[in-house]
Amino acid sequence: HIYSPQVTLTNMSICPFLLHFSAVVFDDCTGNEGVEFEVSNPDFLIDEKLNLVPRRHVIDSGDVMFVHGVNNHVDDMAQVTIMGAPSRSPQTLREILGLSDMMPYRSKRSLLVPPMFVPENQRAPFPRLIGKVISSNMKEDHIFRLTGRGADQDPKGVFSINRLTGDVAVSRALDREAIAYYHLQVSTTDLSGKLVEGPADLDVSVIDQNDNRPVFKEPRYSGEVQEGSPTGTTVMTMTAYDADDPNTDNAVLRYIIVRQLPDKPSPNMFYIDPERGDIVTVISPHQLDRETLPTTQYELEIVAKDMAGSEVGLTGTATATITITDRNDHAPEFTHSLFQASVNEGSTGVVVNLTVDDRDDPATGAWRAIYSIINGDPNQNFEIQTNLDNNEGMLSVVKPLDYESAMFHTLLIKVENEDPLVPDVVYGSSSTATVYITVMDVNEGPVFFPDPLVVIRRENIPVGSFVAMLNATDPDYLQTQSIRFSVLRDPADWLIVNPFKGNVTTRAILDRESPHVHNNQYTALFMATDNGSPPASGTGTLIITIEDENDNAPYIFPSVARVCEDSKDMNVVIGGRDKDIHPNTDPFKIELGKQPGLEKTWKISRINDTHSQIMLLHSLKKANYNLPLVLTDSGVPPISNNTELKVQVCTCKKNRMDCSHAGSIQTNILLLLGLVLLSILCKYSFSPPLTTLTRTADPSYQNAGNSR
């Protein structure tokens, strides 16, 4: 028997179920194409005429069942409440479970647990009945038990089961986006808790409602498209997300452009693929010209709508900013075909700024200019650089120009872009310009030749001797001007120059050993001045290489020697030095002085060209001694120097030399020293004089030849 159903609606979405007794009225507003129905009670189905009918004879249908209808356009559910059903009996239950011959195709099982469906976002009152579990072995002392996530596990208490009847209820509104599916288990136990049947799986699916709007991943999107791009060029892709069930229309999105700013030259310059979200160009390549468009940036308001774009779909909005980028479709052009400038001869720097027009985007390679001189500069006197601030070409003189060589220069300048032009654009005649440069005459200073002037002179030449002849010419050969010479720098004040002829002579003796001479060279600076208006001057350098003369006597080094009074081997090594250079220096000849008796106390042995060894033939008392020596160089003629070596005889103990009292004996033999010196003077008073180096005698030293 089929009991007349009474309907309770639980879903208020568009075109809901309407159940009139045993007939189902379902309308998806598009013709119900491809609709499929599912009944929570497996003993019932929806036939071709949309009637709710049993599959077979049904004794107990339960109090509640759900009918679920779904197609590509709508997903809806209705709850059916069965009124007036008779109480169940064990015999009837066994028949329902397939224990009789009436249903041989039903498998035997102790618990009948149908899948259950719960729409999300249900409103109170709660709890709401969602299905029923049937036990074939249910007795009075048996109870139903529900376990799993949503029952006794978090979130706890979402679902409950009537311990006696097996009715399953939901206790609160569900959110499919939080949990879309619950897997529970049902079993029966006796009153002591002993398991009787099960556990059997109970699956509860949360039916999606369209309760989430599409959300774009970003609030603002940015894209670029190059000017002149073909129609249909993809600019960017907009992507939105809908948290609803992706297997329903609730999450099927469609994209549309609702506004374009500005709307010129066409309000429909772009199109968005409704399913993929790709934004492509619609405007023709000719109209997509950055230089003629009212702006280089367009803003599109994009709307994503779920329910596959139907009128009842929820929407989300984002903004797309599209920048029209530049391509090098305009060649730079000079603002003038002829530029003129003037420059003083001899000067350098920028002489003229060349200006160009370029309609491409500033600060890009399609706008930045590169200038080049293609004719008129064989000597590379000019160069041109780009001013990065204003794109002008700065033409500069890098090598000074000469008025007397060329009064005018004509340059041909070409301008190009850093980036190559697009294939259909070429550089025209406006991309070249002519520059006339006028060279202004300037009074230039005389020029010395050669510079520097190098001459060789011997030192000690007489005052007034000729040194050099200066030569200077005036570059302004088109003008008749005279030149005067003068000394600009003469460190030793040795030279004088004739102001009109330029001949240089000596005003003092040239001395190679002077501190102003370096590496045998003396440098002086001269100036030549013309009589132009205003006068101009130039400088020239004179370098005199001074040849050496043997004009310096040699001298010994060191001039003081120290020996120990008790030394068994009293030797002193001395050397000779000379301010002159070869061949007027070594080898040196070092000899004892002519005073009598020196050879009995001292002996000199030659070591090499510059050094000799002085040996003490017997010990001396602690004192200071003057040893007369004669030192002769190898010049032609040679120069000798009568000099003295000061010898200190000191007390030596434990590698320590004490010379503090070496002069104490000096006072006792002053008279003897005076007599010896007098005898020496008398002996050599009629001898030919020798070149000597005058020195001041030290009274603390005594004559080494009379030390005894």
Side-chain angles (χ1 to χ4, degrees):
H1 299 281
I2 302 299
Y3 300 101
S4 301
Q6 300 296 321
V7 179
T8 301
L9 295 178
T10 62
N11 191 317
M12 300 304 294
S13 63
I14 186 69
C15 302
F17 288 105
L18 298 176
L19 299 179
H20 297 284
F21 297 101
S22 60
V24 175
V25 179
F26 183 90
D27 187 4
D28 68 351
C29 305
T30 60
N32 293 348
E33 181 179 356
V35 64
E36 294 181 358
F37 296 98
E38 183 179 11
V39 183
S40 63
N41 191 326
D43 291 332
F44 290 85
L45 58 81
I46 303 297
D47 64 10
E48 296 178 354
K49 297 181 180 181
L50 301 186
N51 292 319
L52 177 64
V53 297
R55 297 177 182 270
R56 59 191 65 84
H57 293 291
V58 179
I59 302 302
D60 186 3
S61 64
D63 298 329
V64 176
M65 70 177 70
F66 291 92
V67 179
H68 182 208
V70 62
N71 66 1
N72 292 332
H73 302 288
V74 71
D75 186 335
D76 205 7
M77 177 180 286
Q79 178 176 310
V80 180
T81 302
I82 309 299
M83 308 298 294
S87 60
R88 69 169 61 89
S89 65
Q91 182 180 2
T92 302
L93 291 175
R94 271 192 281 270
E95 291 176 354
I96 294 174
L97 295 173
L99 301 178
S100 68
D101 296 332
M102 295 177 61
M103 294 180 291
Y105 56 87
R106 180 184 298 273
S107 62
K108 295 182 180 181
R109 51 182 175 175
S110 58
L111 288 175
L112 178 61
V113 185
M116 300 180 186
F117 303 90
V118 181
E120 66 173 335
N121 304 323
Q122 286 182 310
R123 297 181 180 180
F126 291 101
R128 286 177 176 268
L129 193 63
I130 64 171
K132 188 179 186 67
V133 178
I134 301 173
S135 173
S136 62
N137 297 322
M138 196 68 181
K139 297 180 180 180
E140 292 183 358
D141 61 344
H142 293 176
I143 60 175
F144 288 98
R145 183 185 178 193
L146 184 64
T147 59
R149 185 184 184 191
D152 60 348
Q153 299 177 16
D154 290 333
K156 297 179 180 179
V158 177
F159 301 99
S160 62
I161 190 169
N162 189 299
R163 301 174 64 185
L164 301 177
T165 64
D167 292 333
V168 180
V170 63
S171 62
R172 55 180 180 263
L174 303 182
D175 183 5
R176 190 203 69 84
E177 287 70 45
I179 302 177
Y181 177 80
Y182 293 87
H183 181 72
L184 302 101
Q185 291 183 323
V186 180
S187 59
T188 60
T189 66
D190 58 19
L191 295 179
S192 65
K194 182 179 180 181
L195 181 66
V196 176
E197 297 175 289
D201 292 336
L202 170 59
D203 295 329
V204 180
S205 299
V206 182
I207 300 175
D208 185 43
Q209 301 293 310
N210 191 20
D211 58 346
N212 288 278
R213 293 181 177 274
V215 178
F216 284 92
K217 293 183 178 181
E218 302 175 12
R220 300 187 68 89
Y221 287 74
S222 297
E224 295 180 349
V225 61
Q226 191 179 63
E227 63 172 335
S229 296
T231 301
T233 299
T234 300
V235 180
M236 59 197 301
T237 299
M238 307 287 289
T239 304
Y241 169 76
D242 196 310
D244 289 322
D245 188 353
N247 297 317
T248 67
D249 281 355
N250 295 338
V252 177
L253 305 182
R254 296 293 182 266
Y255 300 92
I256 57 173
I257 300 175
V258 298
R259 185 173 58 178
Q260 170 191 303
L261 290 177
D263 58 358
K264 305 295 182 183
S266 167
N268 300 311
M269 296 174 60
F270 304 94
Y271 165 78
I272 187 169
D273 186 288
E275 296 184 4
R276 297 192 301 269
D278 296 336
I279 298 178
V280 300
T281 59
V282 178
I283 190 172
S284 66
H286 176 71
Q287 289 182 302
L288 191 61
D289 185 2
R290 194 194 66 86
E291 288 75 35
T292 59
L293 290 174
T295 181
T296 59
Q297 282 193 340
Y298 286 84
E299 284 197 355
L300 306 180
E301 184 178 343
I302 309 297
V303 171
K305 182 182 289 188
D306 60 18
M307 298 299 294
S310 68
E311 294 182 358
V312 296
L314 303 178
T315 61
T317 304
T319 300
T321 300
I322 299 177
T323 301
I324 313 300
T325 60
D326 189 35
R327 63 174 187 163
N328 197 10
D329 56 348
H330 295 89
E333 298 179 347
F334 283 100
T335 58
H336 305 284
S337 61
L338 176 64
F339 294 85
Q340 296 185 6
S342 59
V343 58
N344 290 333
E345 66 170 330
S347 64
T348 59
V350 178
V351 295
V352 64
N353 290 317
L354 309 179
T355 55
V356 295
D357 286 332
D358 195 319
R359 298 172 60 190
D360 290 314
D361 186 13
T364 66
W367 177 80
R368 288 190 291 268
I370 299 177
Y371 298 87
S372 58
I373 302 172
I374 59 178
N375 194 14
D377 187 25
N379 298 321
Q380 286 78 50
N381 294 99
F382 301 90
E383 76 172 12
I384 187 166
Q385 295 181 341
T386 303
N387 188 324
L388 300 180
D389 295 329
N390 54 25
N391 218 29
E392 293 181 355
M394 301 180 294
L395 180 63
S396 303
V397 176
V398 293
K399 293 182 181 179
L401 303 177
D402 183 18
Y403 171 83
E404 286 72 25
S405 299
M407 302 179 186
F408 302 98
H409 294 268
T410 302
L411 306 179
L412 187 60
I413 310 296
K414 180 181 180 180
V415 62
E416 297 175 315
N417 288 131
E418 287 185 2
D419 293 346
L421 296 174
V422 296
D424 56 339
V425 178
V426 296
Y427 293 103
S429 60
S430 297
S431 297
T432 58
T434 302
V435 181
Y436 286 160
I437 305 293
T438 301
V439 182
M440 308 300 293
D441 187 25
V442 174
N443 186 28
E444 301 172 82
V447 178
F448 282 84
F449 180 83
D451 189 23
L453 174 61
V454 180
V455 297
I456 300 175
R457 295 292 182 269
R458 296 191 69 84
E459 66 176 331
N460 302 321
I461 60 176
V463 174
S465 298
F466 174 79
V467 176
M469 176 64 73
L470 302 179
N471 181 29
T473 59
D474 194 335
D476 301 310
Y477 61 85
L478 298 180
Q479 304 178 23
T480 302
Q481 297 182 147
S482 60
I483 297 176
R484 292 178 62 90
F485 296 94
S486 60
V487 178
L488 185 62
R489 182 176 179 272
D490 181 12
D493 198 23
W494 287 343
L495 306 174
I496 190 171
V497 61
N498 186 297
F500 304 104
K501 297 181 179 181
N503 54 315
V504 180
T505 56
T506 60
R507 63 187 302 173
I509 298 297
L510 303 183
D511 183 9
R512 193 200 64 83
E513 291 75 34
S514 168
H516 301 292
V517 176
H518 304 283
N519 296 325
N520 302 321
Q521 289 185 333
Y522 179 76
T523 302
L525 194 64
F526 294 86
M527 182 170 62
T529 306
D530 63 23
N531 62 345
S533 180
S537 60
T539 60
T541 302
L542 173 62
I543 298 177
I544 305 173
T545 299
I546 302 179
E547 295 180 337
D548 187 40
E549 290 279 347
N550 192 18
D551 57 349
N552 290 277
Y555 58 93
I556 62 170
F557 182 84
S559 60
V560 178
R562 293 179 177 180
V563 296
C564 297
E565 63 177 340
D566 56 352
S567 176
K568 297 180 180 179
D569 186 12
M570 301 177 65
N571 298 326
V572 177
V573 176
I574 62 173
R577 293 186 178 180
D578 199 318
K579 293 182 180 180
D580 293 319
I581 61 176
H582 286 286
N584 298 318
T585 56
D586 59 84
F588 296 114
K589 182 179 180 182
I590 304 177
E591 303 173 295
L592 293 174
K594 302 302 181 180
Q595 292 85 340
L598 291 179
E599 67 280 359
K600 298 179 179 179
T601 306
W602 308 93
K603 180 181 179 181
I604 297 180
S605 301
R606 178 188 173 107
I607 298 177
N608 53 33
D609 288 349
T610 58
H611 290 77
S612 295
Q613 177 177 274
I614 300 178
M615 293 176 290
L616 186 61
L617 300 179
H618 55 80
S619 61
L620 295 177
K621 293 182 179 181
K622 183 177 180 181
N624 294 334
Y625 300 92
N626 288 336
L627 177 60
L629 298 175
V630 178
L631 182 62
T632 306
D633 62 24
S634 297
V636 179
I639 296 180
S640 297
N641 180 16
N642 292 322
T643 183
E644 292 180 343
L645 173 65
K646 297 179 181 179
V647 181
Q648 291 182 330
V649 180
C650 307
T651 302
C652 299
K653 295 181 179 180
K654 297 181 180 180
N655 297 326
R656 183 176 180 181
M657 181 177 288
D658 181 12
C659 303
S660 58
H661 301 290
S664 59
I665 304 178
Q666 175 71 33
T667 57
N668 299 327
I669 60 173
L670 285 177
L671 181 59
L672 177 61
L673 178 60
L675 295 175
V676 172
L677 291 176
L678 180 60
S679 64
I680 293 174
L681 291 175
C682 294
K683 181 177 181 180
Y684 293 97
S685 59
F686 298 102
S687 300
L690 296 176
T691 303
T692 60
L693 185 62
T694 304
R695 294 178 180 268
T696 303
D698 188 342
S700 65
Y701 286 83
Q702 58 184 343
N703 189 286
N706 297 282
S707 59
R708 292 187 179 181

